[in-house]
Amino acid sequence: MRVDPSFDTFVEQRSAALLRLAYLLTGDRGHAEDLLQTALLRTMRRWPKARDAPESYVRHVLINLSRDRIRGLLRRPRETAMPEDTNAFRSTDPALDGIGDRRMVTDAVAKLPIRQRQVIVLRYFEDLSVEQTAELVGCSTGTVKSYTSRALSRLRELLGDFHETNEMRVFQ
């Protein structure tokens, strides 16, 4: 797709100011960059119309996109941060008591080297065979077994007492 040189010039000259506007609308740098990128793409598509007052056009698009984003956020359930104290999850329902335990396990799995993490996730969380895991990871079955052994050993170290009391429940 060919882009009009005047559009390129406009983007070079005004993108910093427009990014500042997008940031002020969203309050988040990442969302602001996404918003501006989308606004510039829409402006580029309509450049013959927007060429007369491009900054005004982009501002209008940014405002509309930020409104759409806010509407989308309001439709979603509110997210809350997890409390540091996992005892807050204790309840009379045994299924709910496992939430804190799962968090400990996923944190421990995240500390494994990438290949060991891949093997553990595929073998125990996705319930794949050694052969299926080897095919997906791109290694031999012996390597999968070796990674699994090392990863389980490291998880035992990371989880300490938790491992002994919950081993069967976690990996079922």
Side-chain angles (χ1 to χ4, degrees):
M1 173 182 252
R2 291 187 181 185
V3 178
D4 189 335
S6 62
F7 178 77
D8 286 338
T9 304
F10 168 73
V11 170
E12 288 175 12
Q13 292 175 351
R14 300 305 302 155
S15 62
L18 293 168
L19 180 60
R20 186 173 34 255
L21 172 63
Y23 177 78
L24 292 171
L25 291 171
T26 62
D28 179 82
R29 173 78 183 210
H31 289 299
E33 291 173 352
D34 292 343
L35 205 72
L36 179 60
Q37 184 72 24
T38 303
L40 290 174
L41 282 172
R42 289 185 182 182
T43 304
M44 182 186 68
R45 288 185 194 135
R46 309 277 290 181
W47 187 244
K49 179 182 177 183
R51 182 183 320 208
D52 297 333
E55 191 159 354
S56 175
Y57 190 91
V58 175
R59 283 185 182 145
H60 187 73
V61 173
L62 282 171
I63 297 294
N64 288 336
L65 287 172
S66 69
R67 285 182 188 149
D68 291 345
R69 180 178 171 272
I70 291 168
R71 284 184 200 122
L73 291 174
L74 292 175
R75 287 185 195 123
R76 280 194 253 169
R78 299 264 184 232
E79 294 181 14
T80 57
M82 287 188 64
E84 293 293 323
D85 181 21
T86 56
N87 289 329
F89 290 110
R90 302 290 180 220
S91 73
T92 57
D93 185 356
L96 293 177
D97 285 339
I99 292 173
D101 297 343
R102 281 187 214 108
R103 172 120 181 175
M104 288 173 49
V105 171
T106 54
D107 288 347
V109 169
K111 292 178 183 174
L112 293 173
I114 187 68
R115 296 289 256 174
Q116 290 179 13
R117 186 176 340 139
Q118 290 170 344
V119 168
I120 289 295
V121 168
L122 292 172
R123 291 279 292 124
Y124 295 103
F125 291 90
E126 293 295 315
D127 201 27
L128 297 181
S129 69
V130 173
E131 292 78 17
Q132 292 168 322
T133 302
E135 184 178 326
L136 282 172
V137 174
C139 62
S140 69
T141 57
T143 303
V144 169
K145 292 175 185 178
S146 175
Y147 282 152
T148 302
S149 175
R150 289 183 201 146
L152 289 175
S153 176
R154 179 68 179 137
L155 286 173
R156 284 185 198 102
E157 292 172 14
L158 292 170
L159 294 172
D161 295 333
F162 175 78
H163 165 68
E164 294 171 6
T165 59
N166 296 307
E167 181 179 5
M168 298 308 289
R169 189 175 69 183
V170 171
F171 292 112
Q172 287 182 347

